[in-house]
Structures are given as C-alpha cells and as structure tokens.
Amino acid sequence: MGRHRADLLRYSVRAPQLFAYARSNWGYGLVGGVGTLTSYGVVLWVMTQAPVAMVSALRETSILFGVLISALMLRERVTRQRWVAAGLIVAGAVVLRVCG
C-alpha cells in the first residue's frame, strides 16, 4: 500500500505541470482525436464494402508506418527482429493482394 501512496504523491506534485502542458498543446490532442475518429469511421465503412478479414489484416500494416517513422524521422534504432516482423507484415499484405 505504501508504494501506491508514493506514486500518488509523485503524480500529484507534477499535476500542475501536466495540466499546463495539456493547456498549451490542446491543438495536438484535438488533431489526434479527430484523426483517430476519422480513421475508425473509415475502417467501419470499408468493412461494409470488403471482407472483414482482409480489412482487419490490412489495417495491421499501420505498424509498418510506425517502424518507418521511428527509423527515418525519429532516428531510433530499429532492431533486426523488428525489421523481420515488418517484412512478415509486408509479405502477408502481398499474399492478401495476390491471393485474396
């Protein structure tokens, strides 16, 4: 129980900083929220137009964009394991396109 109290105290001390940050950057949150809502709406609409299994599988290709953004724009180190996983996602998308 003591650990939880310490966490609560630590977070409550920094709460004013969090609220100040949120107030000064509310636009980013708004854009992110609208983008997320729009993306979800498009996926729901596409599921009425195409097989749900294919839409769900292709939706996972967004992970590739995350890997590319982290490697190219953020200059993060991407491990071989992540590159292999990204390659498997690409291979799956190609199989869906060719065979689906």
Side-chain angles (χ1 to χ4, degrees), residues 10-96:
R10 186 173 69 232
Y11 294 137
S12 65
V13 169
R14 295 192 64 184
Q17 294 170 334
L18 173 65
F19 293 133
Y21 179 82
R23 273 193 305 276
S24 64
N25 292 288
W26 64 270
Y28 293 121
L30 181 65
V31 169
V34 168
T36 300
L37 185 61
T38 302
S39 170
Y40 186 66
V42 168
V43 167
L44 288 179
W45 174 75
V46 170
M47 285 184 178
T48 66
Q49 307 297 313
V52 173
M54 184 176 291
V55 173
S56 296
L58 288 177
R59 189 169 175 222
E60 296 307 316
T61 59
S62 65
I63 294 169
L64 297 174
F65 294 106
V67 170
L68 291 174
I69 289 170
S70 69
L72 301 176
M73 296 177 70
L74 302 176
R75 304 281 185 213
E76 292 180 359
R77 188 179 68 102
V78 180
T79 63
R80 184 181 323 161
Q81 182 180 4
R82 288 192 182 174
W83 284 119
V84 168
L88 290 172
I89 293 171
V90 170
V94 169
V95 167
L96 280 175

